[in-house]
């Protein structure tokens, strides 16, 4: 499955637009991460525990979006975008979305 943040795939011709596909992941904090992040908040520095959690969440959301595109018979997803939000206190969501397309063989 080809993924592109642009509206085209270089060297390929889009022959059919299938439609919107998306995937999301909601992750919650845990006490271990919170304790380490709390210490970093005091002394400064990157909060690697949360960064790693968001990277993993992005991977899950991307995979779910790809699976939806495959089920629809797509060859690629163009215009891929990511969005993050807080669902409730202590949780965050990553949403991956784009347009599923078929490419000329």
């Amino acid at each position: 499955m080809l993924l592109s943040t642009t509206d085209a795939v270089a060297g390929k011709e889009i022959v059919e637009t299938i439609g919107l596909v998306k995937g999301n992941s909601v992750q919650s904090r845990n006490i271990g991460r919170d304790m380490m992040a709390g210490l970093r908040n005091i002394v400064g520095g990157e909060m690697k525990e949360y960064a790693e959690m968001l990277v993993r969440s992005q991977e899950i959301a991307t995979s779910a979006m790809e699976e939806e595109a495959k089920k629809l018979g797509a060859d690629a997803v163009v215009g891929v975008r990511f969005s993050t939000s807080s669902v409730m206190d202590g949780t965050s969501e990553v949403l991956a979305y784009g347009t599923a397309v078929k490419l000329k063989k």
Side-chain angles (χ1 to χ4, degrees), residues 21-61:
V21 288
K22 63 204 169 312
N24 73 325
S25 174
V26 178
Q27 299 280 322
S28 65
R29 301 182 315 199
N30 69 38
I31 194 157
R33 277 193 204 124
D34 286 349
M35 287 173 35
M36 292 304 294
L39 290 172
R40 281 202 181 77
N41 195 31
I42 293 169
V43 298
E46 181 183 6
M47 294 187 179
K48 293 179 184 177
E49 297 79 18
Y50 291 139
E52 290 168 2
M53 180 181 74
L54 287 173
V55 166
R56 180 69 184 124
S57 198
Q58 183 181 21
E59 290 169 352
I60 293 168

Side-chain angles (χ1 to χ4, degrees), residues 2-4 6-14 75-79 101 103:
L2 295 171
L3 302 179
S4 175
T6 63
D7 293 331
V9 177
K12 303 285 185 178
E13 180 183 345
I14 295 173
D75 299 314
V77 180
V78 296
V101 297
L103 303 174

Side-chain angles (χ1 to χ4, degrees), residues 84-93:
T84 61
S85 64
S86 177
V87 176
M88 58 183 276
D89 189 38
T91 64
S92 63
E93 175 189 36

Side-chain angles (χ1 to χ4, degrees), residues 69-84:
K70 284 177 188 174
K71 286 179 185 174
L72 295 172
D75 299 314
V77 180
V78 296
V80 173
R81 301 289 185 266
F82 296 94
S83 176
T84 61

